[in-house]
């Protein structure tokens, strides 16, 4: 019998690895759905939440999801991501709840940050916590991954939040042998991360293996941008060139989808899934580290926001 080629061995390893991650994610979904009374799945139209939707399908279909889909809309989202969100949720026939940062501003719950083209990313926390209270959610599924950022590396898969929605990294529960403690008091919450152990490369390989559709901005395209804070920001309704900035038209793509005013594009020629996978495999900086200005606000920016209740 001839030995398998190195390429065949590599493909088999990738398939086995993704199968193990998928099985873990399905188990986490089912475990949380059995424990919590009113969970919800956070969905932005981004690649990580797209994978969450597929895992939820595999966990619960042909039945409907035992939870609604929740999106915190900053009002500064990429139109391509919003269009994808609406189309995908309609295809699934599931309930979509949209919590609006603009409505939080109009009601005086938060205040727009001063300055040129202010980001609303940091304003999402109040809107999210208000939605939790309004709808009585006791758990939220999210697409956070430990490889994204050092604060998220501290997360448990079942990540406890107190009655104020706040996170204390010193007060998290052990998770030995994939056993999760979902006990909470009234008013407390749990954030659940089914793809916590995935990497950005795992996500893209799974998207390719499952033939999942993603928004077009994840692939290389021509776009008007300005260089700001070391990143290419898309010129449009929420990013206006300053006097000292020059508008350039470049071939770029996005590694992550967030608030347009703080999410940068990267120069890229990757127009197919295989090309994106090759590009991600060669990258040495995480997608948030390379393209999210809000994470560079301070060295502990993400951890500070998580302590306040950010996802």
């Amino acid at each position: 019998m001839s030995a398998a080629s190195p390429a065949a061995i590599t493909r088999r390893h990738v398939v086995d690895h993704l199968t193990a991650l998928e099985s873990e994610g399905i188990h986490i979904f089912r475990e949380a759905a059995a424990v919590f009374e009113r969970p919800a799945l956070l969905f932005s139209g981004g690649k990580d939440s797209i994978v969450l939707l597929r895992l939820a399908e595999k966990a619960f279909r042909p039945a409907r999801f035992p939870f609604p889909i929740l999106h915190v809309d900053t009002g500064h989202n990429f139109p391509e991501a919003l269009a994808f969100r609406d189309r995908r949720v309609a295809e699934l026939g599931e309930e979509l709840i949209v919590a609006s940062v603009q409505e939080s501003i109009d009601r005086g719950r938060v205040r727009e940050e001063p300055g040129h083209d202010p980001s609303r990313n940091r304003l999402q926390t109040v809107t999210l916590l208000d939605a939790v209270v309004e709808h009585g959610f006791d758990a939220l599924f999210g697409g956070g991954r430990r490889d994204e950022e050092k604060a998220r590396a501290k997360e448990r898969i079942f990540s406890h939040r107190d009655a104020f929605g706040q996170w204390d990294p010193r007060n998290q529960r052990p998770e030995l042998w994939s056993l999760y403690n979902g006990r909470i008091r009234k008013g407390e919450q749990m954030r659940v991360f089914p793809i916590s152990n995935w990497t950005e490369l795992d996500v893209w390989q799974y998207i390719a293996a499952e033939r999942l559709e993603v928004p077009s901005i994840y692939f290389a395209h021509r776009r008007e941008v300005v260089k700001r804070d070391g990143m290419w920001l898309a010129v449009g309704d929420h990013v206006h060139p300053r006097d000292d900035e020059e508008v350039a038209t470049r071939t770029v793509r996005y590694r992550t989808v967030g608030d347009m005013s703080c999410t940068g594009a990267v120069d890229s020629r990757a127009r197919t899934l295989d090309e994106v996978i090759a590009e991600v495999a060669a990258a040495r900086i995480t997608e948030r580290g390379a393209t999210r200005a809000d994470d560079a606000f301070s060295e502990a920016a993400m951890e500070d926001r998580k302590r306040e209740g950010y996802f």
Side-chain angles (χ1 to χ4, degrees):
M1 179 182 297
S2 60
S5 69
I9 293 173
T10 299
R11 284 194 297 271
R12 187 167 65 241
H13 171 75
V14 170
V15 170
D16 291 345
H17 176 64
L18 293 179
T19 299
L21 290 174
E22 179 188 75
S23 296
E24 179 187 55
I26 291 171
H27 168 69
I28 292 166
F29 262 112
R30 290 174 175 168
E31 191 78 6
V35 169
F36 300 108
E37 295 182 3
R38 179 66 170 159
L41 189 157
L42 281 172
F43 183 70
S44 64
K47 65 184 187 305
D48 300 314
S49 54
I50 289 170
V51 169
L52 285 187
L53 276 188
R54 176 48 59 96
L55 294 176
E57 285 185 88
K58 293 196 174 188
F60 304 111
R61 286 296 194 241
R64 290 174 59 87
F65 294 168
F67 42 73
I69 295 170
L70 172 66
H71 180 218
V72 179
D73 185 355
T74 67
H76 290 179
N77 299 92
F78 288 90
E80 298 94 331
L82 291 179
F84 178 86
R85 177 203 70 185
D86 293 340
R87 185 173 71 255
R88 188 73 188 98
V89 172
E91 290 170 353
L92 290 169
E94 297 291 346
E95 177 188 2
L96 173 65
I97 297 172
V98 178
S100 168
V101 171
Q102 183 61 56
E103 290 183 6
S104 296
I105 294 172
D106 295 342
R107 289 165 34 219
R109 291 286 293 146
V110 293
R111 182 179 299 176
E112 192 91 76
E113 294 182 355
H116 189 95
D117 296 333
S119 169
R120 290 184 173 180
N121 214 42
R122 297 176 62 85
L123 306 185
Q124 292 181 88
T125 299
V126 171
T127 305
L128 174 63
L129 294 179
D130 284 351
V132 167
V133 173
E134 178 184 353
H135 298 281
F137 296 134
D138 56 0
L140 296 173
F141 294 103
R145 307 186 328 266
R146 291 187 177 124
D147 75 320
E148 289 181 272
E149 200 272 341
K150 57 187 177 183
R152 285 187 166 167
K154 300 177 182 180
E155 287 276 17
R156 298 290 193 264
I157 289 175
F158 275 38
S159 184
H160 178 260
R161 299 297 195 273
D162 65 19
F164 300 99
Q166 297 176 334
W167 175 70
D168 182 355
R170 298 168 300 179
N171 189 29
Q172 297 298 306
R173 300 165 179 181
E175 293 180 338
L176 305 176
W177 307 293
S178 299
L179 297 175
Y180 308 113
N181 183 350
R183 294 181 180 178
I184 56 175
R185 297 182 178 90
K186 185 175 178 60
E188 294 180 339
Q189 313 152 32
M190 198 71 75
R191 309 292 170 83
V192 181
F193 301 102
I195 62 170
S196 184
N197 291 326
W198 299 45
T199 66
E200 183 186 7
L201 183 59
D202 294 329
V203 167
W204 281 112
Q205 289 177 328
Y206 188 77
I207 287 170
E210 293 290 309
R211 300 180 180 179
L212 301 180
E213 182 187 0
V214 297
S216 59
I217 59 174
Y218 278 117
F219 300 103
H221 58 284
R222 300 286 284 176
R223 188 180 285 262
E224 287 191 340
V225 294
V226 293
K227 194 65 171 287
R228 185 178 300 172
D229 299 324
M231 299 183 302
W232 293 113
L233 296 181
V235 174
D237 293 340
H238 309 300
V239 176
H240 305 86
R242 299 171 181 169
D243 292 339
D244 60 344
E245 292 175 338
E246 182 177 345
V247 177
T249 301
R250 302 181 69 89
T251 301
V252 299
R253 76 175 191 89
Y254 289 86
R255 291 178 65 184
T256 183
V257 172
D259 189 321
M260 291 184 70
S261 61
C262 66
T263 302
V266 295
D267 290 306
S268 175
R269 298 288 177 179
R271 300 181 185 275
T272 67
L273 280 176
D274 286 343
E275 290 171 346
V276 169
I277 289 170
E279 189 174 275
V280 170
R284 292 296 176 265
I285 302 176
T286 68
E287 68 266 41
R288 294 190 69 94
T291 64
R292 294 295 284 271
D294 52 317
D295 289 347
F297 187 79
S298 73
E299 188 172 345
M302 173 63 80
E303 182 162 333
D304 291 342
R305 283 188 294 150
K306 288 174 70 63
R307 287 176 182 271
E308 296 168 359
Y310 181 76
F311 202 79

